Amino acid sequence: MNATSTSTLAQRLQALRVRMDLAAQRAGRDPLSVQLLAVSKTFDADAIREAHALGLTHFAENKAQELREKAAQLADLGDIVWVMIGHLQTNKAKEVARVAHEIQSLDRWELAEALHKRLTLEGRTLRALVQVKTANEESKFGLAPERLHDFVARVQAECPTLQLQGLMTLADHTDDPAVVRGCFAQLARLREGLLGAGFASMTRLSMGMSGDFELAIAEGATDVRVGSALFGARDYA
Ligand SMILES: *Cc1c(COP(=O)(O)O)cnc(C)c1O
């Protein structure tokens, strides 16, 4: 048994907020400059209801269908902000365009095009972060850093339904904090490059998860995506 399985959601949320605030203070940052995105994938609607009752409003899913189903089950709550954080196939763009408020996994032109087409039909807009590949692992999705400027310029010019607000990344999955920090530092540098080039809306940095959010906050994360440290261990069975 670990602490996560015996404590309540309220206790875990409180402990998480303390760690986030301390990490911000250590970095000389305002704790209010870091948003908590609750990653609810694999957890059911009741768990999200409980988290919502504790004051959380931003929830993230990594599968389009799961996002759509939970949004329908929780429609009565009204103020939930649904965020897509998983790799999205273009044939699922329709579901995300219909129900999500934000996508953080925008990683290629075909997806931007598909989303823009569906959003136009729906008469909706979607906030978007560009997922960049900073990790060395083969399996991680994300746009190659050297293609970022052209991609952002093209999406801004051709997809007005997508409101670009910044960048997202997943660090290498390793115990070496220097490697993890290097991924986050790279994303922060890429943002500075975009801001310097006049892409003034690209202010957000979504980086850090349960295992590495303190390092991400030290490197300037504005959004941390936390699942298991909040909801407990995931059961994929
Ligand atoms: C699952 C997931 C997270 C949260 O992971 P935890 O380790 O449970 O905090 C964050 N970001 C993405 C893209 C994810 O898929």
PDB file of all heavy atoms in Angstrom, residues 16-35:
ATOM      1  N   LEU A  16      -0.756  18.003  -3.288  1.00  0.00           N
ATOM      2  CA  LEU A  16      -0.266  18.401  -4.609  1.00  0.00           C
ATOM      3  C   LEU A  16      -0.117  19.913  -4.701  1.00  0.00           C
ATOM      4  O   LEU A  16       0.890  20.429  -5.202  1.00  0.00           O
ATOM      5  CB  LEU A  16      -1.238  17.870  -5.670  1.00  0.00           C
ATOM      6  CG  LEU A  16      -0.964  18.225  -7.122  1.00  0.00           C
ATOM      7  CD1 LEU A  16       0.387  17.680  -7.576  1.00  0.00           C
ATOM      8  CD2 LEU A  16      -2.083  17.675  -8.017  1.00  0.00           C
ATOM      9  N   ARG A  17      -1.130  20.642  -4.222  1.00  0.00           N
ATOM     10  CA  ARG A  17      -1.075  22.110  -4.268  1.00  0.00           C
ATOM     11  C   ARG A  17       0.108  22.642  -3.467  1.00  0.00           C
ATOM     12  O   ARG A  17       0.767  23.594  -3.891  1.00  0.00           O
ATOM     13  CB  ARG A  17      -2.367  22.699  -3.706  1.00  0.00           C
ATOM     14  CG  ARG A  17      -3.587  22.425  -4.553  1.00  0.00           C
ATOM     15  CD  ARG A  17      -4.022  23.714  -5.255  1.00  0.00           C
ATOM     16  NE  ARG A  17      -5.319  23.548  -5.890  1.00  0.00           N
ATOM     17  CZ  ARG A  17      -5.547  23.781  -7.172  1.00  0.00           C
ATOM     18  NH1 ARG A  17      -4.549  24.164  -7.962  1.00  0.00           N
ATOM     19  NH2 ARG A  17      -6.751  23.636  -7.672  1.00  0.00           N
ATOM     20  N   VAL A  18       0.363  22.023  -2.314  1.00  0.00           N
ATOM     21  CA  VAL A  18       1.500  22.452  -1.498  1.00  0.00           C
ATOM     22  C   VAL A  18       2.797  22.257  -2.271  1.00  0.00           C
ATOM     23  O   VAL A  18       3.643  23.150  -2.340  1.00  0.00           O
ATOM     24  CB  VAL A  18       1.526  21.670  -0.157  1.00  0.00           C
ATOM     25  CG1 VAL A  18       2.843  21.902   0.574  1.00  0.00           C
ATOM     26  CG2 VAL A  18       0.351  22.082   0.719  1.00  0.00           C
ATOM     27  N   ARG A  19       2.941  21.079  -2.892  1.00  0.00           N
ATOM     28  CA  ARG A  19       4.177  20.815  -3.655  1.00  0.00           C
ATOM     29  C   ARG A  19       4.309  21.754  -4.838  1.00  0.00           C
ATOM     30  O   ARG A  19       5.400  22.220  -5.173  1.00  0.00           O
ATOM     31  CB  ARG A  19       4.183  19.353  -4.144  1.00  0.00           C
ATOM     32  CG  ARG A  19       4.471  18.352  -3.035  1.00  0.00           C
ATOM     33  CD  ARG A  19       4.324  16.932  -3.541  1.00  0.00           C
ATOM     34  NE  ARG A  19       5.269  16.611  -4.617  1.00  0.00           N
ATOM     35  CZ  ARG A  19       5.179  15.517  -5.378  1.00  0.00           C
ATOM     36  NH1 ARG A  19       4.189  14.644  -5.177  1.00  0.00           N
ATOM     37  NH2 ARG A  19       6.056  15.282  -6.322  1.00  0.00           N
ATOM     38  N   MET A  20       3.199  22.053  -5.504  1.00  0.00           N
ATOM     39  CA  MET A  20       3.248  22.988  -6.638  1.00  0.00           C
ATOM     40  C   MET A  20       3.655  24.389  -6.174  1.00  0.00           C
ATOM     41  O   MET A  20       4.494  25.045  -6.796  1.00  0.00           O
ATOM     42  CB  MET A  20       1.885  23.056  -7.335  1.00  0.00           C
ATOM     43  CG  MET A  20       1.563  21.827  -8.186  1.00  0.00           C
ATOM     44  SD  MET A  20      -0.132  21.892  -8.865  1.00  0.00           S
ATOM     45  CE  MET A  20      -0.055  23.383  -9.868  1.00  0.00           C
ATOM     46  N   ASP A  21       3.043  24.825  -5.072  1.00  0.00           N
ATOM     47  CA  ASP A  21       3.352  26.167  -4.564  1.00  0.00           C
ATOM     48  C   ASP A  21       4.811  26.275  -4.138  1.00  0.00           C
ATOM     49  O   ASP A  21       5.480  27.274  -4.421  1.00  0.00           O
ATOM     50  CB  ASP A  21       2.431  26.516  -3.385  1.00  0.00           C
ATOM     51  CG  ASP A  21       0.996  26.764  -3.835  1.00  0.00           C
ATOM     52  OD1 ASP A  21       0.738  26.683  -5.052  1.00  0.00           O
ATOM     53  OD2 ASP A  21       0.135  27.028  -2.978  1.00  0.00           O
ATOM     54  N   LEU A  22       5.299  25.234  -3.453  1.00  0.00           N
ATOM     55  CA  LEU A  22       6.692  25.253  -3.020  1.00  0.00           C
ATOM     56  C   LEU A  22       7.634  25.278  -4.213  1.00  0.00           C
ATOM     57  O   LEU A  22       8.632  26.002  -4.217  1.00  0.00           O
ATOM     58  CB  LEU A  22       6.992  24.030  -2.137  1.00  0.00           C
ATOM     59  CG  LEU A  22       6.421  24.087  -0.712  1.00  0.00           C
ATOM     60  CD1 LEU A  22       6.665  22.765   0.012  1.00  0.00           C
ATOM     61  CD2 LEU A  22       7.048  25.245   0.071  1.00  0.00           C
ATOM     62  N   ALA A  23       7.306  24.498  -5.232  1.00  0.00           N
ATOM     63  CA  ALA A  23       8.156  24.474  -6.426  1.00  0.00           C
ATOM     64  C   ALA A  23       8.183  25.850  -7.089  1.00  0.00           C
ATOM     65  O   ALA A  23       9.235  26.311  -7.544  1.00  0.00           O
ATOM     66  CB  ALA A  23       7.652  23.411  -7.413  1.00  0.00           C
ATOM     67  N   ALA A  24       7.036  26.513  -7.121  1.00  0.00           N
ATOM     68  CA  ALA A  24       6.977  27.853  -7.709  1.00  0.00           C
ATOM     69  C   ALA A  24       7.806  28.831  -6.879  1.00  0.00           C
ATOM     70  O   ALA A  24       8.602  29.613  -7.421  1.00  0.00           O
ATOM     71  CB  ALA A  24       5.522  28.328  -7.814  1.00  0.00           C
ATOM     72  N   GLN A  25       7.643  28.759  -5.560  1.00  0.00           N
ATOM     73  CA  GLN A  25       8.396  29.675  -4.693  1.00  0.00           C
ATOM     74  C   GLN A  25       9.897  29.466  -4.835  1.00  0.00           C
ATOM     75  O   GLN A  25      10.663  30.422  -4.919  1.00  0.00           O
ATOM     76  CB  GLN A  25       7.970  29.479  -3.234  1.00  0.00           C
ATOM     77  CG  GLN A  25       6.644  30.172  -2.920  1.00  0.00           C
ATOM     78  CD  GLN A  25       6.029  29.670  -1.627  1.00  0.00           C
ATOM     79  OE1 GLN A  25       6.717  29.088  -0.791  1.00  0.00           O
ATOM     80  NE2 GLN A  25       4.745  29.893  -1.463  1.00  0.00           N
ATOM     81  N   ARG A  26      10.313  28.199  -4.878  1.00  0.00           N
ATOM     82  CA  ARG A  26      11.754  27.921  -5.040  1.00  0.00           C
ATOM     83  C   ARG A  26      12.293  28.515  -6.331  1.00  0.00           C
ATOM     84  O   ARG A  26      13.441  28.898  -6.423  1.00  0.00           O
ATOM     85  CB  ARG A  26      11.995  26.396  -5.057  1.00  0.00           C
ATOM     86  CG  ARG A  26      12.074  25.754  -3.681  1.00  0.00           C
ATOM     87  CD  ARG A  26      12.709  24.362  -3.757  1.00  0.00           C
ATOM     88  NE  ARG A  26      12.004  23.464  -4.653  1.00  0.00           N
ATOM     89  CZ  ARG A  26      10.985  22.679  -4.288  1.00  0.00           C
ATOM     90  NH1 ARG A  26      10.568  22.687  -3.044  1.00  0.00           N
ATOM     91  NH2 ARG A  26      10.412  21.882  -5.162  1.00  0.00           N
ATOM     92  N   ALA A  27      11.433  28.575  -7.355  1.00  0.00           N
ATOM     93  CA  ALA A  27      11.854  29.106  -8.655  1.00  0.00           C
ATOM     94  C   ALA A  27      11.653  30.617  -8.728  1.00  0.00           C
ATOM     95  O   ALA A  27      11.863  31.217  -9.786  1.00  0.00           O
ATOM     96  CB  ALA A  27      11.082  28.410  -9.774  1.00  0.00           C
ATOM     97  N   GLY A  28      11.218  31.213  -7.617  1.00  0.00           N
ATOM     98  CA  GLY A  28      10.973  32.654  -7.622  1.00  0.00           C
ATOM     99  C   GLY A  28       9.783  33.040  -8.470  1.00  0.00           C
ATOM    100  O   GLY A  28       9.724  34.145  -9.021  1.00  0.00           O
ATOM    101  N   ARG A  29       8.821  32.136  -8.573  1.00  0.00           N
ATOM    102  CA  ARG A  29       7.654  32.389  -9.410  1.00  0.00           C
ATOM    103  C   ARG A  29       6.395  32.525  -8.553  1.00  0.00           C
ATOM    104  O   ARG A  29       6.307  31.953  -7.472  1.00  0.00           O
ATOM    105  CB  ARG A  29       7.457  31.228 -10.412  1.00  0.00           C
ATOM    106  CG  ARG A  29       8.642  30.990 -11.329  1.00  0.00           C
ATOM    107  CD  ARG A  29       8.344  29.891 -12.326  1.00  0.00           C
ATOM    108  NE  ARG A  29       7.118  30.168 -13.072  1.00  0.00           N
ATOM    109  CZ  ARG A  29       6.384  29.247 -13.680  1.00  0.00           C
ATOM    110  NH1 ARG A  29       6.741  27.980 -13.635  1.00  0.00           N
ATOM    111  NH2 ARG A  29       5.296  29.599 -14.333  1.00  0.00           N
ATOM    112  N   ASP A  30       5.416  33.243  -9.079  1.00  0.00           N
ATOM    113  CA  ASP A  30       4.116  33.372  -8.427  1.00  0.00           C
ATOM    114  C   ASP A  30       3.376  32.035  -8.559  1.00  0.00           C
ATOM    115  O   ASP A  30       3.170  31.563  -9.681  1.00  0.00           O
ATOM    116  CB  ASP A  30       3.325  34.486  -9.131  1.00  0.00           C
ATOM    117  CG  ASP A  30       1.944  34.693  -8.517  1.00  0.00           C
ATOM    118  OD1 ASP A  30       1.553  33.907  -7.625  1.00  0.00           O
ATOM    119  OD2 ASP A  30       1.268  35.637  -8.955  1.00  0.00           O
ATOM    120  N   PRO A  31       2.979  31.412  -7.444  1.00  0.00           N
ATOM    121  CA  PRO A  31       2.248  30.135  -7.533  1.00  0.00           C
ATOM    122  C   PRO A  31       1.005  30.228  -8.421  1.00  0.00           C
ATOM    123  O   PRO A  31       0.616  29.236  -9.039  1.00  0.00           O
ATOM    124  CB  PRO A  31       1.868  29.848  -6.080  1.00  0.00           C
ATOM    125  CG  PRO A  31       2.919  30.534  -5.276  1.00  0.00           C
ATOM    126  CD  PRO A  31       3.271  31.778  -6.043  1.00  0.00           C
ATOM    127  N   LEU A  32       0.419  31.407  -8.496  1.00  0.00           N
ATOM    128  CA  LEU A  32      -0.779  31.552  -9.336  1.00  0.00           C
ATOM    129  C   LEU A  32      -0.457  31.493 -10.831  1.00  0.00           C
ATOM    130  O   LEU A  32      -1.356  31.420 -11.660  1.00  0.00           O
ATOM    131  CB  LEU A  32      -1.483  32.881  -9.022  1.00  0.00           C
ATOM    132  CG  LEU A  32      -2.105  32.979  -7.623  1.00  0.00           C
ATOM    133  CD1 LEU A  32      -2.670  34.370  -7.399  1.00  0.00           C
ATOM    134  CD2 LEU A  32      -3.200  31.933  -7.452  1.00  0.00           C
ATOM    135  N   SER A  33       0.824  31.501 -11.179  1.00  0.00           N
ATOM    136  CA  SER A  33       1.196  31.443 -12.595  1.00  0.00           C
ATOM    137  C   SER A  33       1.263  30.009 -13.106  1.00  0.00           C
ATOM    138  O   SER A  33       1.592  29.779 -14.264  1.00  0.00           O
ATOM    139  CB  SER A  33       2.544  32.150 -12.817  1.00  0.00           C
ATOM    140  OG  SER A  33       3.586  31.420 -12.186  1.00  0.00           O
ATOM    141  N   VAL A  34       0.946  29.032 -12.251  1.00  0.00           N
ATOM    142  CA  VAL A  34       0.967  27.618 -12.660  1.00  0.00           C
ATOM    143  C   VAL A  34      -0.423  27.017 -12.494  1.00  0.00           C
ATOM    144  O   VAL A  34      -0.950  26.952 -11.382  1.00  0.00           O
ATOM    145  CB  VAL A  34       1.984  26.798 -11.835  1.00  0.00           C
ATOM    146  CG1 VAL A  34       2.096  25.388 -12.412  1.00  0.00           C
ATOM    147  CG2 VAL A  34       3.347  27.474 -11.798  1.00  0.00           C
ATOM    148  N   GLN A  35      -1.011  26.577 -13.590  1.00  0.00           N
ATOM    149  CA  GLN A  35      -2.352  25.989 -13.572  1.00  0.00           C
ATOM    150  C   GLN A  35      -2.275  24.465 -13.436  1.00  0.00           C
ATOM    151  O   GLN A  35      -1.409  23.838 -14.037  1.00  0.00           O
ATOM    152  CB  GLN A  35      -3.093  26.299 -14.880  1.00  0.00           C
ATOM    153  CG  GLN A  35      -3.283  27.778 -15.152  1.00  0.00           C
ATOM    154  CD  GLN A  35      -4.162  28.433 -14.109  1.00  0.00           C
ATOM    155  OE1 GLN A  35      -5.203  27.904 -13.742  1.00  0.00           O
ATOM    156  NE2 GLN A  35      -3.716  29.585 -13.615  1.00  0.00           N
TER     157      GLN A  35
END
